[in-house]
Amino acid sequence: MWTATHIAQSPEVAAVLSVRRPALPVRRLALASFWALASLASPTQAGPCSDVKNAVYVAATPAAEQYVEKIAQLLQLDDPNPLPVIWQVTSSCRAAESVVLDNTPSGSCAPGACLTGTAKVWPLDRSPVKTCELDNKSGTHIHLAVSDVFPSSCPSLAAKPTSGVLDLLGPVSSYALVMSAQAMEGAIHAEEAHFVFGAGKVAGVKPWLNDSAVVLLGDRDAGPLLLAPRIKLPIGKWRTGRQVYTADEVFASLPAEPASSLSILPTTLIDKRRSDVRVLGFQSIGQHGAFFPDRKSNTFDKQNVRDGHYPLWGYMHMLLLADPVRPTQALSTAAARVADILIGKEKVATRDTVPMQLSQGFVPQCAMRVAKMNDSAPLSPAPASNACHCWFEKNVTGGVLNCGECKDGMTCSVGTCRRNFCEVE
Amino acid sequence: MRSRYHNALRLGILGAGLLFIASQMTCAEVASYWNDDNPPPSSGDGGTPDGGDGMWRCFMGTPTKEDELLNRCTEAERIDRPSAIPKATWDGKSPLPFQ
């Protein structure tokens, strides 16, 4: 147990405090005390998350983990108005359920709401991320869910009205079917995927003839949920796929069966490990040829996601409970602030977060030319009102650079100056 | 003087060659165009993706629907291969079985 006496006696705390400004906010001081002490504990012994006061609890899809981690670090350690964020990585639907099913946000947890288990938080001494334990008896209320699918795509929420929940759309998160890096296949047709996931090896679709080599993160993961409508295979009819529980397990499983392995992962994770997997082009039903998320297999421009040639993507949704009295506002203003930062509406530590979305592998909405109403809806043309295609291409590996610059922030002979590039759309 | 004449001749030949190549590209693009009055061959659930003649019929107009977006002409890398589904499993025309 970490007590105030321990905190006062701790030389580590004194060291932490001595390098900080004397007028530290009380919240930051309490956090410093807690985590300095926590650093003395055994690495395997995580303290209760409830020891961090006034924290925003976030449940996040694996696609967003590194982005949430980065935002949490800046918000807690570098922002003039620091706010501790505690996050747990879970499937998109589990994250959504934890908020959407929370009918008693200030009472005991409703069935399906809240989360238990281990979560993560940044220590104030800038040491690596630490773990803490959520309330494993009665569950911890989650203030913000970060999901890659619309709540209606989750089987458990399909019939549930989402009134009382705010759904803010953030950047686009794309997914790709992947094989082992040693695989020879270059693409998969939607119809082939229908049989591979719906029937398995009996369908005889080469090279996917080994059911145990198909690994999935479960039917509440955004990957299968975004793929299902595209291959006309409802999530309840998937027959193939050995379940694993983390993306790292997927990466580790694929090389075991290099010729027949298959999985689906977010490109935010794939792009950081391109040499570990083979990304398959995807040919939609009615499409003439298969396309990668990017213009080429070795670029990072998400051109085909952005212009409608590649449909395996979802919006990064921020799900928050609405205030019953003011239904257009979030019940938790602190959680709403974190959501606004994640979608790029608000800065963190004076930094614009839209470039962070890009660097984490997401496609900011200003770089999209298409949209969709829900995860099963067809793509439709949707030019962004604040288009940032030139800026996006300039900042990704392999982007096409054919735009004029406006370094003064305003002057373009053609187009409109945005983010120092002349956008013609 | 003679050198200038040769240079002009070279430029002329180059220009004529480029014009010829450009005219051929235009013809190919026009052949690949489709519109609502002349839609591409498609079986909905699969079938022959390219009209059966091996030519990619990409959409060159302003897309308004998903199939036009998916098949809009692009310089992006495109993988075109026949379906790997055995005929005994699916004929390529019937509705997909597990919908």
Side-chain angles (χ1 to χ4, degrees), chain A residues 203-223:
Chain A
V205 183
K206 294 179 181 176
W208 302 286
L209 300 174
N210 182 349
D211 291 353
S212 65
V214 178
V215 288
L216 295 170
L217 287 166
D219 58 9
R220 294 200 287 185
D221 176 62

Side-chain angles (χ1 to χ4, degrees), chain B residues 7-25:
Chain B
N7 282 342
L9 189 63
R10 280 197 201 106
L11 278 173
I13 291 169
L14 183 66
L18 283 172
L19 272 174
F20 175 75
I21 291 167
S23 70
Q24 296 309 299
M25 286 174 72

Side-chain angles (χ1 to χ4, degrees), chain A residues 62 146 149:
Chain A
V146 181
V149 296

Side-chain angles (χ1 to χ4, degrees), chain A residues 72-415:
Chain A
Q73 182 184 35
L74 289 167
L75 186 51
Q76 187 171 311
L77 301 179
D78 298 320
D79 196 88
N81 298 305
L83 179 63
V85 175
I86 294 174
W87 71 95
Q88 184 185 76
V89 176
T90 186
S91 67
S92 280
C93 285
R94 185 68 196 98
E97 289 162 7
S98 71
V99 169
V100 175
L101 299 176
D102 194 356
N103 299 323
T104 54
S106 55
S108 56
C109 292
C114 306
L115 288 178
T116 58
T118 302
K120 292 181 179 177
V121 66
W122 280 103
L124 277 188
D125 60 2
R126 297 180 186 273
S127 58
V129 170
K130 290 204 177 298
T131 58
C132 63
E133 288 297 321
L134 299 173
D135 186 337
N136 286 320
K137 284 186 180 172
S138 43
T140 298
H141 289 282
I142 300 301
H143 303 115
L144 170 64
V146 181
S147 166
D148 280 339
V149 296
F150 284 85
S152 58
S153 295
C154 298
S156 57
L157 302 174
K160 177 164 176 32
T162 50
S163 58
V165 176
L166 302 180
D167 183 357
L168 311 179
L169 299 185
V172 161
S173 177
S174 54
Y175 281 71
L177 287 146
V178 290
M179 296 182 70
S180 159
Q182 286 72 44
M184 301 301 291
E185 193 56 55
I188 187 166
H189 295 188
E191 296 87 347
E192 293 167 355
H194 176 92
F195 283 97
V196 170
F197 291 111
K201 66 179 179 184
V202 296
V205 183
K206 294 179 181 176
W208 302 286
L209 300 174
N210 182 349
D211 291 353
S212 65
V214 178
V215 288
L216 295 170
L217 287 166
D219 58 9
R220 294 200 287 185
D221 176 62
L225 291 164
L226 292 169
L227 181 62
R230 291 285 158 189
I231 62 173
K232 296 192 174 180
L233 185 65
I235 207 71
K237 295 191 176 181
W238 288 49
R239 295 286 172 267
T240 313
R242 179 168 58 86
Q243 180 161 0
V244 293
Y245 296 94
T246 67
D248 282 341
E249 286 182 77
V250 174
F251 282 108
S253 298
L254 296 177
E257 296 288 343
S260 57
S261 58
L262 185 64
S263 189
I264 181 163
L265 286 172
T267 59
T268 52
L269 301 181
I270 294 170
D271 285 354
K272 294 179 174 72
R273 304 179 62 168
R274 279 273 181 98
S275 59
D276 293 345
V277 293
R278 185 175 184 88
V279 175
L280 297 180
F282 180 74
Q283 180 171 320
S284 289
I285 290 171
Q287 192 172 25
H288 307 174
F291 291 88
F292 298 106
D294 304 284
R295 186 166 50 91
K296 294 179 180 178
S297 60
N298 60 352
T299 62
F300 294 79
D301 47 73
K302 303 292 171 289
Q303 177 177 296
N304 293 324
V305 173
R306 293 161 55 215
D307 71 8
H309 282 93
Y310 186 88
L312 302 181
W313 56 265
Y315 295 104
M316 195 169 80
H317 298 252
M318 305 290 136
L319 302 172
L320 305 123
L321 287 180
D323 185 336
V325 180
R326 295 170 298 171
T328 58
Q329 295 184 31
L331 185 62
S332 164
T333 51
R337 182 180 168 214
V338 177
D340 282 346
I341 289 169
L342 286 166
I343 65 174
K345 194 175 166 187
E346 191 176 323
K347 291 182 177 180
V348 62
T350 71
R351 291 174 61 176
D352 181 2
T353 58
V354 174
M356 287 185 236
Q357 294 173 2
L358 182 152
S359 64
Q360 292 293 332
F362 294 103
V363 180
Q365 285 203 28
C366 61
M368 290 294 289
R369 292 184 166 95
V370 294
K372 58 183 172 183
M373 295 298 289
N374 60 59
D375 295 322
S376 302
L379 302 175
S380 58
S385 58
N386 58 341
C388 63
H389 303 288
C390 295
W391 167 81
F392 185 89
E393 294 277 354
K394 174 75 177 178
N395 285 284
V396 292
T397 305
V400 177
L401 308 174
N402 56 0
C403 295
E405 293 188 41
C406 44
K407 289 181 177 171
D408 62 356
M410 59 176 107
T411 310
C412 287
S413 55
V414 179

Side-chain angles (χ1 to χ4, degrees), chain A residues 185-187 189 191-192 194-195 199 203-204 206 230 232-234 237 285-292 295-297 303-304 307-309 378-379 381, chain B residues 34 40-42 44-46 49 56-57 63-66 69-72 74-79 81-86 89-90 96-99:
Chain A
E185 193 56 55
H189 295 188
E191 296 87 347
E192 293 167 355
H194 176 92
F195 283 97
K206 294 179 181 176
R230 291 285 158 189
K232 296 192 174 180
L233 185 65
K237 295 191 176 181
I285 290 171
Q287 192 172 25
H288 307 174
F291 291 88
F292 298 106
R295 186 166 50 91
K296 294 179 180 178
S297 60
Q303 177 177 296
N304 293 324
D307 71 8
H309 282 93
L379 302 175
Chain B
W34 88 67
S42 173
D45 280 346
W56 180 33
R57 297 178 191 281
T64 58
K65 298 182 295 187
E66 181 175 274
L69 286 164
L70 291 169
N71 293 299
R72 194 179 190 192
T74 177
E75 85 292 359
E77 187 176 347
R78 173 175 159 271
I79 300 173
R81 64 155 174 77
S83 172
I85 304 170
T89 298
W90 187 53
L96 290 166
F98 308 118
Q99 299 187 45

